[in-house]
Amino acid sequence: PGKADSDEDGIPDGYEVANGLDLLNPSDAGLDPDSDGVSTLDEYLAGTNPFYSNIDYWDSINISVQAGEPFALIDFGAALTESLDEYGRAWNNFSVPGISNSSITLSNILGVSTGITVQTISAFSGASTGNGITSGSRYSLNSVKSDYLWVGANGSETGKLVISNLPLGETFTFSLFGSRNDVGDSRLTRYTLIGENSDSGTLQAIGNQDYVVNLTVQPDALGQVELQVFAENPDIRGHLNAIEVV
């Protein structure tokens, strides 16, 4: 570019090129592509990345939890959780197995938005309204433990979620719960998390009441973590009922 600021929007051309902005569009100075409440111009003035949220999650969620306790909870499946659990915690609902219209923004256990999003990037086979264990579970609400997202086809199908807007350099533990009433077969489910590092584990969903798989990762350079869910071959289906984010 021949000028320091071709579109005269207050943002130098070098910054616009480096961050994929339009050199000839002054209106992009007022945009907020990462939805953190800070305009592109203010991101430039602060020396930050306009495509990575600058929300300080630990301040913005305004919450204090004990070490090892979740700050956000997600119920997967078609039955919605609309009441607080026995500890007075709010739950997020993720009910769409496909890619379209699947994105949600997580609230913390007090019901306050965190800015962290969850979205399907590879479709699950379906969303169940029931058939999970409803007695003796680690969760008090039937709507949490009885419904689920599922994948099938003996390990040839993989449901994938991406969790975005996670703060860089932080370590997160995801406690994953899968459950299915006993139908006389095996539903060994593998969960894999991929971020700056990766972690993986399996869980037998049939008859499961209390067991969770705990996977620990740091977000990648984009502030994202990918979760993959599939049935271990030769088992016919894998299940995802709930996630606790610690």
Side-chain angles (χ1 to χ4, degrees):
K3 295 178 62 179
D5 182 7
S6 297
D7 55 9
E8 299 180 344
D9 61 357
I11 304 175
D13 290 344
Y15 183 92
E16 296 214 31
V17 170
N19 290 282
L21 301 172
D22 188 343
L23 294 178
L24 303 178
N25 180 12
S27 67
D28 60 10
L31 299 180
D32 181 17
D34 55 9
S35 301
D36 62 358
V38 183
S39 71
T40 303
L41 175 59
D42 287 337
E43 296 262 18
Y44 157 67
L45 294 173
T48 54
N49 187 333
F51 291 95
Y52 178 73
S53 176
N54 300 298
I55 295 172
D56 184 338
Y57 293 101
W58 312 122
D59 288 339
S60 68
I61 63 178
N62 190 26
I63 185 173
S64 176
V65 295
Q66 297 296 317
E69 292 296 316
F71 72 86
L73 303 164
I74 313 171
D75 168 30
F76 293 89
L80 300 183
T81 296
E82 298 177 325
S83 58
L84 303 179
D85 64 17
E86 75 271 35
Y87 302 110
R89 303 178 302 185
W91 282 75
N92 297 273
N93 290 290
F94 195 101
S95 59
V96 180
I99 297 173
S100 299
N101 302 313
S102 66
S103 180
I104 67 168
T105 299
L106 292 185
S107 295
N108 64 26
I109 59 175
L110 299 181
V112 179
S113 177
T114 65
I116 298 169
T117 62
V118 182
Q119 183 175 7
T120 304
I121 57 172
S122 179
F124 289 75
S125 302
S128 172
T129 57
N131 297 323
I133 292 290
T134 57
S135 61
S137 169
R138 66 189 280 124
Y139 305 115
S140 62
L141 299 174
N142 284 343
S143 56
V144 172
K145 56 195 176 186
S146 66
D147 64 333
Y148 50 77
L149 299 183
W150 60 275
V151 290
N154 304 309
S156 65
E157 295 178 359
T158 301
K160 297 180 182 180
L161 304 172
V162 62
I163 300 97
S164 302
N165 291 337
L166 294 166
L168 298 180
E170 297 286 348
T171 299
F172 293 87
T173 297
F174 292 77
S175 298
L176 301 116
F177 178 74
S179 175
R180 178 65 163 86
N181 287 333
D182 192 351
V183 288
D185 60 15
S186 177
R187 304 287 176 91
L188 187 64
T189 305
R190 177 166 292 280
Y191 308 97
T192 301
L193 278 175
I194 303 171
E196 187 67 21
N197 61 300
S198 62
D199 199 1
S200 185
T202 59
L203 173 153
Q204 177 55 257
I206 291 295
N208 183 38
Q209 296 180 333
D210 299 302
Y211 184 70
V212 295
V213 173
N214 294 311
L215 304 180
T216 301
V217 296
Q218 288 190 341
D220 65 17
L222 298 176
Q224 296 181 336
V225 169
E226 180 181 306
L227 171 63
Q228 302 179 354
V229 182
F230 65 92
E232 287 276 81
N233 193 30
D235 290 5
I236 62 170
R237 288 183 180 174
H239 299 261
L240 177 63
N241 297 55
I243 294 179
E244 305 169 30
V245 187
V246 180

